[in-house]
């Protein structure tokens, strides 16, 4: 795997990896993505192979500019309002795919919708502007494993399976983007740092929570996901013998997501902390996290990390 620096030359060379139809990991504000040219079916197939990802789990397309979305999907007034408010940023919209869209069929796994987003991390923006084509990118981890928020997580998890890594700082948000679909009313398909309340304010209507949604699904939302090798026990008010404790707020613990009890900070640290504690080989107990705001997304990821494995 070749590494590229955050310099104009590094960004040019990184975009060349995508132009060749190869795989490039790159940082976004949420997590590192594993990118390929979204219009090149052979390149997209390499993403599924490198991650060991089931072919029914569709990918998110990353664009440099919100104005490009209309080339690929039908943009409703509500979708436009969300784009105006939150793009660039950690929001993904699932919208009807246009018939003549050049996006490779494997990206949407045969669905007639496409997930798209415009990231705001400067390095992701620079890469997308340089490549000037849509980039399909799931999180840059092996399927079912913890999402990467640092370049080192990518090196360890996928280093021998991908062609390039655009080296950048740790991800600021640390949790994958909020995903909103329409049935035709807005539905949160995956909670993230942009909350249901923020979405309600932007469109004047409360989105349905993902549990209330019975028509559309994010097919990749498998119960066991983000799984460390060790067992995970949630809402732990005390540690049991042999466990390491992942804390929140002022307390004694092995690692603390946010000693001051700040949920944004906890989201930023979550995947890194799970990765670090997993190296101890001990079972991981996790202190209760308030189920409000970003805490909803943190608890969603923790429940999947703790779920029974296949
Ligand atoms: O923050 C993020 O969104 C990161 C960065 C790299 O942008 N990407 C990411 O991708 O989290 P991934 O592949 O790990 O998660 C994509 C999710 C999956 O749960 C998938 O099922 C859902 O998006 N998805 C993609 N296309 C969809 C569609 N057409 N309809 C419903 N869900 C879709
Ligand atoms: Mg993922």
């Amino acid at each position: 795997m070749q590494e590229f620096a955050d310099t104009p030359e590094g960004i040019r060379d990184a975009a060349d990896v995508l132009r060749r139809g190869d795989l490039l990991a790159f940082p976004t504000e949420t997590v590192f993505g594993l990118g390929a040219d979204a219009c090149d079916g052979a390149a997209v197939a390499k993403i599924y192979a490198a991650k060991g990802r089931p072919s029914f789990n569709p990918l998110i397309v990353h664009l440099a500019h919100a104005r490009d979305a209309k080339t690929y999907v039908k943009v409703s007034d509500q979708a436009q309002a969300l784009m105006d408010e939150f793009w660039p940023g950690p929001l993904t919209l699932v919208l009807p795919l246009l018939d003549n869209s050049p996006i490779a069929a494997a990206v949407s796994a045969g669905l007639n919708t496409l997930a798209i987003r415009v990231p705001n991390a400067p390095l992701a923006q620079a890469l997308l502007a340089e490549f000037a084509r849509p980039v399909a990118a799931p999180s840059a981890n092996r399927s079912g494993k913890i999402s990467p928020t640092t370049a080192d997580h990518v090196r360890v998890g996928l280093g021998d399976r991908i062609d390039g890594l655009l080296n950048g700082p740790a991800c600021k948000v640390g949790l994958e983007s909020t995903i909103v679909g329409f049935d035709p009313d807005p539905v949160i398909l995956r909670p993230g740092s942009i909350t249901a309340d923020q979405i309600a304010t932007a469109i004047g209507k409360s989105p349905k929570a993902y549990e209330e949604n019975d028509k559309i699904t994010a097919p990749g939302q498998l119960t066991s996901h983000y799984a460390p090798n060790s067992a995970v026990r949630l809402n732990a008010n005390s540690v049991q013998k042999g466990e390491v404790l992942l804390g929140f707020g002022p307390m004694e613990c092995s690692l603390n997501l946010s000693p001051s009890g700040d949920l944004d900070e906890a989201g930023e640290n979550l995947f890194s902390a799970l990765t670090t504690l997993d190296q101890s080989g001990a079972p991981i107990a996790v202190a209760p996290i308030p189920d409000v705001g970003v805490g909803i997304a943190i608890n969603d990821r923790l429940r999947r990390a703790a779920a029974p494995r296949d």
Side-chain angles (χ1 to χ4, degrees), residues 67-91:
R67 62 174 183 267
D68 298 340
K70 289 194 167 76
T71 315
Y72 310 106
V73 291
K74 194 161 178 284
V75 178
S76 64
D77 290 347
Q78 281 187 339
Q80 187 65 54
L82 292 174
M83 291 176 183
D84 292 346
E85 182 68 24
F86 298 112
W87 282 4
L91 177 73

Side-chain angles (χ1 to χ4, degrees), residues 256-274:
N256 201 318
L257 288 173
S258 170
S260 67
D262 178 302
L263 287 169
D264 288 324
E265 184 185 26
E268 182 180 347
N269 291 333
L270 178 68
F271 290 140
S272 252
L274 284 175

Side-chain angles (χ1 to χ4, degrees), residues 134-205:
V135 172
S139 49
N141 53 288
R142 295 291 297 269
S143 192
K145 297 296 183 190
I146 302 170
S147 294
T149 54
T150 67
D152 210 48
H153 294 160
V154 178
R155 281 186 204 105
V156 172
L158 284 179
D160 56 350
R161 300 180 146 244
I162 65 177
D163 306 290
L165 167 64
L166 181 54
N167 211 333
C171 304
K172 282 310 288 174
V173 175
L175 299 167
E176 301 86 345
S177 58
T178 304
I179 304 182
V180 173
F182 299 88
D183 78 347
D185 293 322
V187 183
I188 295 198
L189 298 176
R190 179 175 69 187
S193 64
I194 292 178
T195 63
D197 285 348
Q198 286 176 282
I199 289 162
T201 305
I203 55 180
K205 186 180 173 87

Side-chain angles (χ1 to χ4, degrees), residues 26 38-39 60-73 75 83 87-89 93 95 103 114-121 124-129 131-137:
F26 63 97
C39 300
I60 296 173
V61 165
H62 297 65
L63 304 174
H65 307 289
R67 62 174 183 267
D68 298 340
K70 289 194 167 76
T71 315
Y72 310 106
V73 291
V75 178
M83 291 176 183
W87 282 4
L93 297 173
L95 296 170
I103 302 291
L114 184 70
I116 49 172
R117 87 178 190 95
V118 176
N120 68 19
Q125 285 260 325
L127 175 74
L128 291 166
F131 184 52
R133 286 161 70 85
V135 172

Side-chain angles (χ1 to χ4, degrees), residues 8 52 286 307:
V286 187

